[in-house]
Amino acid sequence: ERSVFMKIAVVAANGKAGQLITKEAVERSLDVTAIVRSENKTVAHQVIQKDLFDLTKEDIAPFDVIVDAFGQMNKDKLNEHSQSLEHLSNLVSDSQKRLIIIGGAGSLYVDKAHTERLIDSPDMPEEVKPISMAQVKTFEEIKERDDVQWTFVCPAPDFQFDGEKTGAYKVSDDEVIGTHVSYADFAKAIVDEAMNPEHIQSRFAVFAK
């Protein structure tokens, strides 16, 4: 693993995904900084306590990879998905810094012909549709940014916080190829991609092996 000297920052590190991604990076001896709005709840020793929207180019200057683990569940603030992604994208624009974005499963296709996305299928519960739509929108927006070294990562439809860490997973480019994945295995996939980039300006999805 060639990237031991890589510096990685996790934005929204106090969140469910953020905490586990930070833990995975720390356990693999990466130089990891948690970017949190309130008191640090992660295992990271290096912390930037600042609102995501207040981050500057100076703040992120030291980092090779920025993991965007921001999520907004408040139905009245769903536009913050797009706003936060635009802000982070502008900070890394025209640089070699990589931006790894945690998305949702809604934009993945459920059929081989790629005619139906999960968000359009009858299987998508109505109550999660608004959040899923906001995340699908961010995927459409980041695809337009050829000035950003982005990677968009979707978890399986059933994203299990309490799922066990098996240390194994399978990936697809844009199709649903499984039902679930644990947050812990998803975190491993994120750190693997950070260390060995295989999806520059593209997306992939992570499923239990």
Side-chain angles (χ1 to χ4, degrees), residues 121-156:
S121 80
D123 300 336
M124 176 62 89
E126 283 301 322
E127 65 270 17
V128 300
K129 262 193 179 165
I131 290 167
S132 186
M133 276 302 303
Q135 291 176 317
V136 169
K137 185 167 173 271
T138 58
F139 177 54
E140 296 303 325
E141 288 162 351
I142 197 65
K143 281 195 294 188
E144 301 298 315
R145 300 287 299 246
D146 57 6
D147 59 321
V148 174
Q149 300 288 309
W150 60 269
T151 301
F152 195 91
V153 194
C154 304

Side-chain angles (χ1 to χ4, degrees), residues 102-117:
I102 313 303
S107 61
L108 298 173
Y109 292 104
V110 294
D111 63 333
K112 287 271 182 248
H114 288 190
T115 56
E116 186 175 45
R117 299 174 305 174

Side-chain angles (χ1 to χ4, degrees), residues 37 53 70 72 77-85 138:
R37 195 171 54 184
F53 291 102
F70 176 81
Q72 176 55 267
K77 295 183 176 178
L78 291 180
N79 59 341
E80 287 187 1
H81 285 98
S82 287
Q83 291 166 351
S84 61
L85 181 56
T138 58

Side-chain angles (χ1 to χ4, degrees), residues 9 33 41 150 165 189 192:
T33 297
K41 297 178 193 158
W150 60 269
K165 181 175 183 179
D192 286 348

Side-chain angles (χ1 to χ4, degrees), residues 4-171:
V4 175
F5 302 113
M6 169 194 297
K7 287 184 184 292
I8 184 168
V10 181
V11 176
N14 276 343
K16 287 203 287 195
Q19 285 198 44
L20 284 171
I21 292 164
T22 304
K23 181 169 181 277
E24 176 75 21
V26 167
E27 285 174 356
R28 286 164 72 173
S29 306
L30 292 184
D31 185 334
V32 59
T33 297
I35 299 181
V36 292
R37 195 171 54 184
S38 52
E39 188 184 349
N40 178 37
K41 297 178 193 158
T42 76
V43 295
H45 301 304
Q46 295 158 169
V47 181
I48 296 174
Q49 192 174 338
K50 204 168 188 184
D51 189 284
L52 181 163
F53 291 102
D54 296 330
L55 290 173
T56 66
K57 285 194 172 182
E58 288 69 38
D59 290 326
I60 64 153
F63 305 112
D64 304 300
V65 179
I66 293 96
V67 177
D68 173 15
F70 176 81
Q72 176 55 267
M73 309 300 276
N74 183 332
K75 292 242 166 68
D76 299 325
K77 295 183 176 178
L78 291 180
N79 59 341
E80 287 187 1
H81 285 98
S82 287
Q83 291 166 351
S84 61
L85 181 56
E86 183 181 25
H87 181 60
L88 293 173
S89 295
N90 290 343
L91 293 182
V92 301
S93 174
D94 294 324
S95 76
Q96 287 306 302
K97 296 181 187 303
R98 297 181 55 218
L99 181 62
I100 300 179
I101 303 138
I102 313 303
S107 61
L108 298 173
Y109 292 104
V110 294
D111 63 333
K112 287 271 182 248
H114 288 190
T115 56
E116 186 175 45
R117 299 174 305 174
L118 183 64
I119 194 161
D120 306 317
S121 80
D123 300 336
M124 176 62 89
E126 283 301 322
E127 65 270 17
V128 300
K129 262 193 179 165
I131 290 167
S132 186
M133 276 302 303
Q135 291 176 317
V136 169
K137 185 167 173 271
T138 58
F139 177 54
E140 296 303 325
E141 288 162 351
I142 197 65
K143 281 195 294 188
E144 301 298 315
R145 300 287 299 246
D146 57 6
D147 59 321
V148 174
Q149 300 288 309
W150 60 269
T151 301
F152 195 91
V153 194
C154 304
D158 182 9
F159 199 15
Q160 299 175 339
F161 182 62
D162 296 321
E164 66 171 329
K165 181 175 183 179
T166 67
Y169 56 87
K170 59 187 180 184
V171 302

Side-chain angles (χ1 to χ4, degrees), residues 192-205:
D192 286 348
E193 174 67 25
M195 297 182 77
N196 296 296
E198 291 182 8
H199 300 87
I200 301 288
Q201 294 188 330
S202 66
R203 63 102 169 252
F204 70 101

